[in-house]
Amino acid sequence: MRRLAALIVIAVAASFASIPAIAADGPVKQFQQSVTLGFYRGQVVSYLDFGPVKLRPGNKVAPIWAFTNGDDGQRNIIDTVPGRANYSPLWAVRMVTWRDGADVRVLRSAAAVSRAQRAGELTVRAMPIVVNCPVL
């Protein structure tokens, strides 16, 4: 009997999940957006990538390191997340390129990029682009 009741609850919940959300002024339009994975201080984070934006005076930005070459497992790196005072969903792009002959590996933090840069293993170039990528 419990099992039957649980199945009924699941079926009812599933039917409500397929109904569009209703706001005070009508149905809410839903969108699907792919999630991008990146690294933050050694951990995997998820963010949305809404692409390049034009800045307005006073917009706060944070750096994001993107790699032009290297290990297939490499992801973009950020150094702040929501809840931190320096967080912004607007990211100033820094392109990272491994030098020929370098010990190419996956870097998982801004500190690791900095160490590799100081060791002469890679170069970092600031790009004239800012992207809107809110972290989830």
Side-chain angles (χ1 to χ4, degrees):
M1 188 57 130
R2 283 185 186 166
R3 187 173 186 180
L4 178 61
L7 289 173
I8 291 171
V9 168
I10 291 170
V12 169
S15 68
F16 281 118
S18 65
I19 297 173
I22 304 292
D25 57 351
V28 175
K29 188 169 185 174
Q30 296 179 353
F31 299 91
Q32 185 171 349
Q33 172 71 35
S34 296
V35 173
T36 302
L37 299 178
F39 292 126
Y40 164 72
R41 297 186 178 183
Q43 303 298 312
V44 175
V45 293
S46 306
Y47 61 90
L48 302 174
D49 185 350
F50 294 120
V53 296
K54 288 186 177 184
L55 289 181
R56 292 187 176 177
N59 282 138
K60 181 168 73 169
V61 299
I64 185 169
W65 291 267
F67 289 74
T68 62
N69 62 355
D71 192 281
D72 289 338
Q74 184 66 62
R75 302 188 182 287
N76 293 342
I77 297 172
I78 59 173
D79 198 36
T80 188
V81 291
R84 297 183 52 92
N86 63 344
Y87 173 74
S88 170
L90 303 177
W91 301 94
V93 177
R94 308 286 188 258
M95 295 306 295
V96 179
T97 303
W98 288 97
R99 293 185 187 274
D100 289 339
D103 176 24
V104 175
R105 59 200 177 277
V106 173
L107 301 180
R108 298 176 185 269
S109 68
V113 172
S114 237
R115 284 191 299 274
Q117 184 180 22
R118 283 193 309 274
E121 296 178 295
L122 52 80
T123 60
V124 177
R125 190 173 81 236
M127 303 301 291
I129 187 171
V130 173
V131 291
N132 180 7
C133 296
V135 175
L136 302 175

